[in-house]
């Protein structure tokens, strides 16, 4: 089976949705994360800022593409809680 790591086309990504989280296509391309995404892998840690009328949240997150039940690729944003990084 070829369920593992299905390649995604750049055009299939909802760039407008990502822009709302302050994630730009050029930025992802420059730091190599876009290539990882399209290969079905998880990106490195990205700093993003989620701004809506009710929330203004700066967070670190990784991105990866998951398929909806309809088989459409959507980008999943996995927030990283800063508390978890401070294990001494």
């Amino acid at each position: 089976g070829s369920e593992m790591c299905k390649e995604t086309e750049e055009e299939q990504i909802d760039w407008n949705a990502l822009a709302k989280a302050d994630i730009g296509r050029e930025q992802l391309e420059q730091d190599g994360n876009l290539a990882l995404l399209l290969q079905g892998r998880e990106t490195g840690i990205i700093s993003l800022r989620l701004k809506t009328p009710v929330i203004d949240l700066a967070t670190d997150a990784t991105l990866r593409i998951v398929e909806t039940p309809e088989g459409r690729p959507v980008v999943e944003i996995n927030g990283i809680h800063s508390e978890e990084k401070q294990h001494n």
Side-chain angles (χ1 to χ4, degrees):
S2 56
E3 291 83 34
M4 280 294 297
C5 285
K6 238 175 79 181
E7 299 266 327
T8 303
E9 298 297 316
E10 243 178 275
E11 287 68 47
Q12 294 177 280
I13 294 177
D14 187 347
W15 292 107
N16 291 335
L18 287 181
K20 294 192 178 92
D22 211 14
I23 299 169
R25 185 173 182 157
E26 292 81 14
Q27 181 63 49
L28 284 182
E29 234 162 354
Q30 280 166 16
D31 51 28
N33 282 320
L34 182 58
L36 289 174
L37 258 188
L38 297 179
Q39 290 161 21
R41 292 158 63 191
E42 197 169 13
T43 66
I45 295 173
I46 297 166
S47 297
L48 48 102
R49 188 149 180 220
L50 213 51
K51 271 187 95 139
T52 71
V54 290
I55 192 171
D56 185 351
L57 181 71
T59 185
D60 287 340
T62 59
L63 308 179
R64 76 190 175 102
I65 290 180
V66 296
E67 275 196 353
T68 63
E70 304 83 55
R72 252 185 53 240
V74 294
V75 176
E76 181 181 77
I77 300 179
N78 301 301
I80 296 163
H81 302 296
S82 39
E83 308 88 63
E84 289 175 7
K85 283 194 240 166
Q86 262 108 55
H87 285 314
N88 297 332

